[in-house]
Every structure is written in C-alpha cells, then in structure tokens.
Amino acid sequence: MGIYSIRDLAELTGVKTHTLRVWEKRYAFLKPQRTDTNIRYYLDSDLKVLMLVLNLYHHGFRISRISEMTPEEMEAESKRLSADTQDESARMKHAVGDMDVTVMSQILDQAIRSRGFESTLMTLILPLLEEMELMWLSGQIEEAHEVCFRELIRRKTIREIDTLPHHCEGPKVITLLPKGNQQELSHLFMHYFLRKQGLCVTDLGCGISQDCAVAGLNRSQADCLLLVNADPVHWQFGPFVKEILTRTTLPFIISGRASDEDWSPYAGRVVVLDTIEETIRFASQLQENLQNLIS
C-alpha cells in the first residue's frame, strides 16, 4: 500500500499543492488521513480518485460537478469517455483516409462544443497528429492526407484563439516561429494556451528572421520571449536563438526539445521546458517564475 504526502501527489499529478489544499476544503473527493502529529497523508485510493478527477476535468467537466460523483461514478464516466474518444478517433482517421474535410470538420466542431477546445486538442488532435507519422510511414495515408488535416486544424485553432479575450493588463509574452521551422501548429497551440492563462500575447508570426525578431523584441515591452521547438533535430534553432540572445536582454522560454545545444552559459536568461504541460504551469505564474529564473 502506497503512502503519499501532499507534495508527492502534486509531483505525480502536476496539480499544485495549493490547489490540492483548496480542493480538500471545498470538495469531498480528497480525504487525507492524519498522523499522530496531525500531518496529512494519502493512500493509493486517494491517488486513484485524483487521477479520475483530472481525467474528467480535462474532458471539460467542472470540478463542482465532479465533486458530486462517487468514485464509482467517476470511473464509469471515465470509461464511457474513453470509449467515446476511441470511436471519435476511429471516425476521424476514416475521414482523414477519405480526405473528407466536411466530416473531419463536423467531428472536430462537435468535440469542441461538447467538451471545449483544450480537451479536444489533448485527447483527439495531438494523439492523432502523433499517430499520423506512423500511418504515413506504413502507407495508410500519403502526405496530402496529413497536409489536409493540418490545414484544417490550423484554421480551427486560429478561430479558437480569436474567441479568447485580450489581456492587455496581464504579463506580456512575445512569440514567434523562426525562419525554416515548420512547426506552425505547435506554435499556434502554445499561443492558445498562453491566452487561456490570461497573458498578453504578441505573436510576430512564422518564418521570422533574426533581424525581424530582434527589432520586435527591442521595441516591445514584453516580459519574455517564448519559442516552441517541437523539432529536436532542427539544425537552425540553436544558432538562431543564441544570436538573438546577444542582441536583447529579455529572458527566453523554450518549450519543447531545445535541440542538443548547451544552454548552461545562458543560465538566468534561458529556461527549457520539455512539455506543453510544464510550459502551461510555468506561464500560470509567469512573473514569479521569471523573477526566480533571473535571481
């Protein structure tokens, strides 16, 4: 039987300890035990329930609604969602194979209406994009199929970004995609997540040269530059970033594999975050985290 501290739960689930404490006070699904010295601890059953809660939450359920469910109801709903997602993914793959943009669009719009864009992105779009590479290599689809799907996702993502409010008073992040980098979708996904976090986002766009990037950075009042690099072998990325670092004083956040470059000489200026989830958590308390980076 596992025994976990609240910090253990935070590390295992990615939920901040502060959030866990708030959930304990407001809702009944977390019920810690207490030692003789009144220190809280959790069991395997608590971790299982918390993982079910997070699964439902990422599928668009409100925490208040989840809190009304029993653990058995949470598990049943999670299984139903898993089956629905598998069916949804199968229908989407079939539509991609037929290059039926109408059906692809209908499936995406229905998913977005029912559980939101973020959940659709995490449970349908990203897994399918990862699977497409294998589908292409195995001959199930051709380049045209993937290009068609990516273009549809690009337009849907821009639409969703445009529905989010502008946070002119929030921390300001400037983003761009370097010239030669083909990861436009990853760039757009990050733009969406940053706006969802209440940040003021200035996007210079894609195919940006070093001179253009430096001019934009030095003329803005941004708190940092955020770059997405989903291509770990992109030979231009490291030199591009290092050149800009010599021409601006802003801190840089690199989300994704930051190639095999040595970033240690830039400690205090560059933070590398491997995943979308890590980047979102960092951005949720951007100013505090940047201050810790610099100090």
Side-chain angles (χ1 to χ4, degrees):
M1 179 178 68
I3 295 178
Y4 310 93
S5 67
I6 193 168
R7 191 174 298 277
D8 291 333
L9 283 192
E11 291 179 356
L12 289 167
T13 64
V15 181
K16 293 183 175 66
T17 55
H18 171 73
T19 301
L20 292 173
R21 291 190 181 100
V22 170
W23 285 358
E24 279 183 21
K25 292 179 180 179
R26 293 183 181 176
Y27 311 113
F29 53 76
L30 274 183
K31 300 175 182 178
Q33 310 294 314
R34 296 276 180 173
T35 66
D36 294 339
T37 55
N38 204 35
I39 296 175
R40 60 165 63 85
Y41 67 92
Y42 305 84
L43 304 177
D44 287 328
S45 57
D46 299 303
L47 177 59
K48 179 181 178 181
V49 167
L50 184 55
M51 296 304 291
L52 290 171
V53 168
L54 293 175
N55 183 47
L56 294 174
Y57 179 72
H58 289 314
H59 276 87
F61 283 68
R62 293 182 180 276
I63 291 293
S64 56
R65 179 183 172 191
I66 299 170
S67 69
E68 297 171 352
M69 296 173 150
T70 65
E72 293 74 21
E73 289 171 334
M74 291 182 195
E75 189 165 8
E77 188 64 26
S78 291
K79 288 180 179 178
R80 184 191 67 79
L81 288 169
S82 177
D84 288 348
T85 301
Q86 289 174 3
D87 177 63
E88 187 179 65
S89 178
R91 289 188 292 117
M92 180 63 83
K93 283 189 280 190
H94 185 75
V96 169
D98 291 341
M99 286 188 70
D100 192 332
V101 177
T102 300
V103 173
M104 283 190 276
S105 183
Q106 289 172 346
I107 294 171
L108 287 169
D109 287 342
Q110 175 59 37
I112 292 168
R113 282 194 300 269
S114 64
R115 61 180 189 271
F117 180 71
E118 184 172 345
S119 175
T120 301
L121 178 60
M122 300 302 288
T123 62
L124 177 62
I125 296 173
L126 290 180
L128 186 54
L129 284 172
E130 291 180 4
E131 193 173 347
M132 273 187 166
E133 183 174 354
L134 294 176
M135 295 169 66
W136 188 8
L137 292 172
S138 64
Q140 297 179 57
I141 60 173
E142 298 178 9
E143 181 181 4
H145 295 89
E146 183 175 5
V147 169
C148 179
F149 181 70
R150 285 181 172 273
E151 173 58 21
L152 177 63
I153 298 303
R154 187 186 71 84
R155 288 187 281 108
K156 298 288 187 187
T157 306
I158 291 172
R159 182 191 70 184
E160 294 300 319
I161 290 172
D162 287 342
T163 66
L164 296 173
H166 289 279
H167 301 278
C168 298
E169 303 303 320
K172 187 173 182 181
V173 178
I174 193 163
T175 66
L176 58 91
L177 194 68
K179 188 174 183 180
N181 195 307
Q182 303 300 314
Q183 301 296 322
E184 182 180 9
L185 283 184
S186 297
H187 173 78
L188 289 173
F189 295 158
M190 186 55 65
H191 187 155
Y192 173 84
F193 284 122
L194 293 175
R195 287 272 289 273
K196 278 291 292 289
Q197 290 296 322
L199 302 178
C200 179
V201 181
T202 298
D203 188 355
L204 294 186
C206 304
I208 303 302
S209 67
Q210 289 176 338
D211 288 341
C212 178
V214 171
L217 293 173
N218 290 337
R219 285 168 175 73
S220 73
Q221 296 181 346
D223 294 290
C224 66
L225 167 68
L226 192 147
L227 295 164
V228 175
N229 185 48
D231 183 358
V233 297
H234 194 274
W235 65 271
Q236 295 173 317
F237 184 80
F240 180 95
V241 175
K242 289 180 178 180
E243 172 63 24
I244 298 178
L245 279 164
T246 67
R247 299 169 66 183
T248 180
T249 59
L250 281 180
F252 285 25
I253 301 170
I254 300 173
S255 179
R257 291 286 302 281
S259 70
D260 294 325
E261 301 287 335
D262 178 15
W263 300 101
S264 58
Y266 306 95
R269 289 280 311 281
V270 175
V271 58
V272 178
L273 304 167
D274 286 338
T275 66
I276 289 177
E277 291 81 6
E278 282 185 277
T279 308
I280 294 170
R281 287 197 293 271
F282 189 94
S284 67
Q285 294 183 307
L286 182 68
Q287 290 177 323
E288 178 184 343
N289 287 329
L290 286 178
Q291 186 61 43
N292 292 336
L293 174 69
I294 296 169
S295 60

